[in-house]
Amino acid sequence: MKRNKILIVDDTKLYRQSLSDILKQKYGILEAENGKIALDLLKQNRDSIVAVILDIVMPVMDGFEFMEEFNTHKEYKYIPVIVATTRDDVEVEKRCLALGVWDFIPKRFHPDIIWFRVVNAIRRSKQHILEYDALTGVYNQQMFFQKTRELLDEFPNGKFAFIRFDIDRFKMINSFYGAREGDRLLKYVAGCIRKILKSYENYTFGRVAGDIFGICVQVKEPKEALKIAQTIRERLKEYENLHCYLETSAGCYMITDKEMDVSAIYERAVIAAGKCKGQYMQHEVLYNDKMGEALLREQVIINEMDQALANQEFVVYFQPKYELDEYSPCGAEALVRWRKPDGSMVSPGEFIPIFEKNGFIIQLDYYVWEKVCQYIQGELESGREPEPISVNVSRVNLYNPKFLESLINLVEQYRIPPQYLNLELTESVFSDTENVILNAVDYLHKAGFTIMMDDFGSGYSSLNVLKDIELDVLKIDMKFLSKSRNGDDGRGEKILEAVLQMAKSLNMPVIAEGVEEKRQVEMLKRLGCNYIQGYYFAKPMPLEQYRKLEKKSNK
Ligand code: C2E
Ligand code: CA
Ligand code: CA
């Protein structure tokens, strides 16, 4: 049986027969003598039917009734329906077109004409599947970008805005109300955009991905573009189906250089949209060059990173940790810096997030660990007993299949007992307590490493994580506690006290980080905190300086 089938719906056997004769060399043929049987056959063969040839006047269910039912099935949307007519009847033809019929063939069958009409209709429908988003019926990303290109080329002197927007927390809608509701909402949005853009002359729009839509439209001024986005958002509020508050984030970019790649144009709209996220009351943001500069800086960093690593421009600083009873140093945290050839220092806050995005952090972390291993080895070989050094392990590493192996190889290569190298994992790593992470932690424990949970309290998952994973040390950043919005009314202290108590009952030592003031030191001491790290005692320092400090305290 041929895979692609044509469904012939006609009550006259003779007609069915002659159509079948024309088409059966290439297609499988299904026959139905009325609309009802046809619908049943469609249901059973919906993946293999590529076209329907339909008679209008039939008993039981006629062609019009068939079309009405057919149109309620979105999965049939791209199956072309061709109506076979006996005579020219404008009224019938109009009604058919209104019902979404693709084409007509005369009932005095001429084999070649039938053949071409059917094949063309099938080809057009395949094209449609390639160009349109199946759910919403608007252009898909590829086609939308292409149409944007054509639009910009067609009006070289026009002023165009590009708008990219999405629905805030769309994933939540999907998971609370189900994918069907999510789909409905997306279709509604597509309909809104279509309506709003009707009053414009030159535009195109499409669904870029998921809940992201894009619009390219000729406007007089930027305000107009923002207004379009705002109107969409307002329309969304009128959407009654869900009993929740729908908001959008829109980024608008006024296209200045028409030669620019559409993907670069899109990128700018994405940057602008990114400025809305998490910002209360700001839903439409116009791109400006400052935002672009940040991107440019990012690009510069990416261009320079490999060379910088090879040139040893990344240097490891050490920030001592202190034991609170005696104020004696007890190890340090290794923190990376980027010393540019001109002597300027770039702080990790600027480059780590970028490297986490592009994966370079895996190489950089390894580099830092190796530097720390070299230091520890040097100490051990000179007969000194170094205090442990903790290194940061980016979350990206947890998804790196070579992570465990490369770390273990490293300490073996430098013959370092693992108790000298502690690992700091930020709390957000554990937000998804997948097996990968549980297993990695377990493995590292068995290998003898001490694992610290960094930035405890800054994420969302802290308490659950403590239940699920056995970690060795908690690090709390004082910044999270001291910056209370309405002045310090003692709430921070109470939270800290509770955390310290909990840690104690779990037998977990606590390191307070970011300690800057004497007041904090005294409080921490009173509350029974074990260790501190912070500017109050020492800032991160180059290795040489740290060495001296270590020597002094060993005396
Ligand atoms: P972190 O791991 O939470 O490191 C502590 C940060 O707090 C460091 O910033 C440190 O200099 C700073 N700090 C310490 N005491 C104080 C204080 O008293 N007051 C204030 N205001 N800050 C204090 P730094 O060195 O800029 O590092 C920032 C972040 O970059 C680190 O946060 C860590 O997440 C990341 N990072 C640094 N080095 C590495 C590395 O080698 N690998 C990875 N994956 N991340 C690193
Ligand atoms: Ca850290
Ligand atoms: Ca930290």
Side-chain angles (χ1 to χ4, degrees):
M1 189 72 186
K2 299 191 174 72
R3 224 197 85 70
N4 289 339
K5 293 177 193 152
I6 292 175
L7 173 60
I8 300 171
V9 194
D10 202 314
D11 56 329
T12 312
K13 189 160 186 229
L14 188 71
Y15 281 138
R16 295 201 304 266
Q17 192 66 54
S18 40
L19 279 171
S20 167
D21 287 343
I22 298 168
L23 298 164
K24 71 181 175 201
Q25 323 130 35
K26 187 165 174 203
Y27 298 99
I29 304 292
L30 294 169
E31 294 182 27
E33 53 192 66
N34 61 52
K36 207 163 174 329
I37 298 173
L39 285 171
D40 286 341
L41 285 172
L42 257 172
K43 206 169 174 181
Q44 292 155 24
N45 300 278
R46 73 171 208 212
D47 293 326
S48 53
I49 290 177
V50 292
V52 176
I53 300 179
L54 183 69
D55 183 22
I56 291 298
V57 187
M58 291 180 292
V60 186
M61 182 189 260
D62 70 16
F64 296 130
E65 290 166 320
F66 168 85
M67 278 311 288
E68 266 156 26
E69 176 65 28
F70 179 90
N71 284 336
T72 63
H73 292 262
K74 77 168 183 216
E75 66 272 27
Y76 302 159
K77 196 164 164 184
Y78 297 116
I79 302 178
V81 177
I82 301 160
V83 164
T85 51
T86 23
R87 60 200 143 80
D88 284 342
D89 183 335
V90 181
E91 281 312 307
V92 168
E93 210 162 294
K94 252 175 36 192
R95 216 174 138 189
C96 285
L97 286 171
L99 283 165
V101 161
W102 286 52
D103 202 357
F104 301 91
I105 47 175
K107 261 202 171 168
R108 260 185 289 105
F109 295 134
H110 188 295
D112 287 345
I113 290 185
I114 306 288
W115 177 258
F116 282 121
R117 290 250 163 116
V118 171
V119 168
N120 279 347
I122 293 170
R123 192 176 297 146
R124 267 183 8 234
S125 91
K126 284 203 174 128
Q127 195 63 24
H128 199 88
I129 293 170
L130 289 180
E131 294 175 0
Y132 292 85
D133 170 41
L135 176 67
T136 59
V138 304
Y139 286 134
N140 60 27
Q141 185 256 326
Q142 206 183 352
M143 207 51 201
F144 165 56
F145 277 24
Q146 192 179 315
K147 290 287 172 192
T148 299
R149 177 78 274 148
E150 287 167 16
L151 190 64
L152 297 176
D153 290 347
E154 196 182 339
F155 300 97
N157 298 318
K159 215 183 208 180
F160 281 87
F162 191 101
I163 306 168
R164 177 252 185 234
F165 78 92
D166 66 349
I167 303 162
D168 296 351
R169 295 175 295 276
F170 179 72
K171 279 204 190 76
M172 234 156 74
I173 291 165
N174 254 342
S175 53
F176 284 173
Y177 298 93
R180 252 174 102 134
E181 273 308 325
D183 285 358
R184 269 243 281 280
L185 175 60
L186 292 175
K187 277 198 263 190
Y188 175 79
V189 173
C192 284
I193 303 175
R194 186 176 287 124
K195 257 187 240 144
I196 291 163
L197 290 178
K198 276 233 168 85
S199 54
Y200 288 81
E201 251 174 60
N202 301 316
Y203 64 83
T204 182
F205 69 102
R207 180 174 169 216
V208 178
D211 62 322
I212 305 167
F213 290 85
I215 297 169
C216 182
V217 56
Q218 185 170 13
V219 289
K220 289 187 202 69
E221 48 176 358
K223 257 207 276 188
E224 223 180 319
L226 294 172
K227 181 80 191 152
I228 292 174
Q230 194 190 332
T231 312
I232 297 170
R233 178 161 56 85
E234 275 156 13
R235 289 285 153 76
L236 219 60
K237 290 217 179 97
E238 294 159 12
Y239 186 66
E240 299 275 313
N241 277 24
L242 309 176
H243 303 282
C244 71
Y245 200 51
L246 293 170
E247 294 279 13
T248 56
S249 299
C252 305
Y253 174 58
M254 291 303 295
I255 300 168
T256 43
D257 173 9
K258 293 246 173 49
E259 306 286 302
M260 193 189 272
D261 265 353
V262 177
S263 56
I265 291 172
Y266 176 72
E267 216 32 67
R268 282 168 169 73
V270 171
I271 294 172
K275 301 281 168 202
C276 306
K277 288 274 181 264
Q279 220 141 25
Y280 188 60
M281 293 304 280
Q282 187 158 28
H283 303 286
E284 290 86 27
V285 172
L286 193 66
Y287 175 90
N288 63 44
D289 286 335
K290 258 217 193 82
M291 299 174 189
E293 281 159 22
L295 191 76
L296 220 61
R297 268 202 303 279
E298 190 169 324
Q299 203 49 54
V300 169
I301 288 178
I302 291 169
N303 292 343
E304 291 178 346
M305 62 190 190
D306 288 305
Q307 196 59 41
L309 189 67
N311 287 352
Q312 311 253 353
E313 286 175 30
F314 292 105
V315 288
V316 181
Y317 272 43
F318 292 74
Q319 185 178 30
K321 297 172 186 175
Y322 290 82
E323 211 256 342
L324 240 177
D325 281 343
E326 317 241 311
Y327 297 154
S328 56
C330 60
E333 173 178 6
L335 292 158
V336 71
R337 271 100 188 84
W338 185 345
R339 190 165 51 207
K340 293 281 183 92
D342 64 7
S344 63
M345 283 285 199
V346 189
S347 83
E350 273 198 49
F351 55 83
I352 299 264
I354 300 171
F355 294 165
E356 287 191 327
K357 264 195 284 176
N358 69 9
F360 186 70
I361 191 68
I362 292 183
Q363 275 166 272
L364 184 62
D365 269 357
Y366 186 86
Y367 175 89
V368 173
W369 306 339
E370 182 157 32
K371 290 282 172 206
V372 170
C373 285
Q374 285 164 355
Y375 159 73
I376 296 171
Q377 185 194 40
E379 293 297 291
L380 289 171
E381 282 181 351
S382 324
R384 285 186 291 269
E385 167 92 354
E387 296 285 349
I389 305 292
S390 65
V391 295
N392 289 287
V393 178
S394 162
R395 52 177 303 146
V396 179
N397 257 305
L398 273 294
Y399 298 96
N400 165 20
K402 294 244 170 73
F403 162 57
L404 294 172
E405 189 190 326
S406 60
L407 181 65
I408 302 280
N409 285 348
L410 190 67
V411 289
E412 279 176 2
Q413 181 194 337
Y414 287 95
R415 294 181 306 279
I416 291 178
Q419 70 263 26
Y420 294 110
L421 189 69
N422 297 340
L423 307 174
E424 293 194 6
L425 275 81
T426 69
E427 180 194 65
S428 57
V429 163
F430 306 102
S431 57
D432 32 25
T433 40
E434 291 164 12
N435 281 340
V436 209
I437 291 163
L438 293 175
N439 292 344
V441 169
D442 197 38
Y443 188 91
L444 292 168
H445 266 151
K446 289 197 177 114
F449 289 102
T450 297
I451 302 173
M452 305 184 171
M453 185 194 263
D454 205 354
D455 305 329
F456 178 77
S458 62
Y460 300 98
S461 58
S462 324
L463 296 174
N464 260 330
V465 168
L466 291 179
K467 179 169 69 61
D468 294 331
I469 310 181
E470 270 187 46
L471 297 160
D472 308 296
V473 179
L474 277 192
K475 285 190 87 170
I476 318 171
D477 200 317
M478 294 302 285
K479 270 175 276 181
F480 302 130
L481 296 171
S482 60
K483 292 255 167 62
S484 66
R485 221 173 281 171
N486 26 0
D488 201 346
D489 52 1
R491 294 169 75 88
E493 179 170 340
K494 288 193 189 101
I495 292 172
L496 191 61
E497 185 173 7
V499 170
L500 285 163
Q501 251 166 31
M502 176 193 68
K504 198 169 179 183
S505 63
L506 293 171
N507 279 325
M508 292 174 84
V510 175
I511 302 177
E513 186 174 27
V515 179
E516 293 182 350
E517 297 160 26
K518 187 161 187 211
R519 177 181 68 81
Q520 294 174 319
V521 179
E522 283 162 357
M523 173 175 78
L524 288 161
K525 201 163 178 173
R526 190 171 66 235
L527 298 178
C529 180
N530 314 80
Y531 305 96
I532 34 181
Q533 176 186 342
Y535 294 174
Y536 181 76
F537 286 95
K539 289 194 170 177
M541 55 185 75
L543 178 58
E544 276 321 303
Q545 203 178 329
Y546 176 67
R547 258 205 190 102
K548 280 186 205 146
L549 188 109
E550 267 256 271
K551 269 196 196 134
K552 222 170 37 205
S553 71
N554 277 348
K555 269 182 202 157

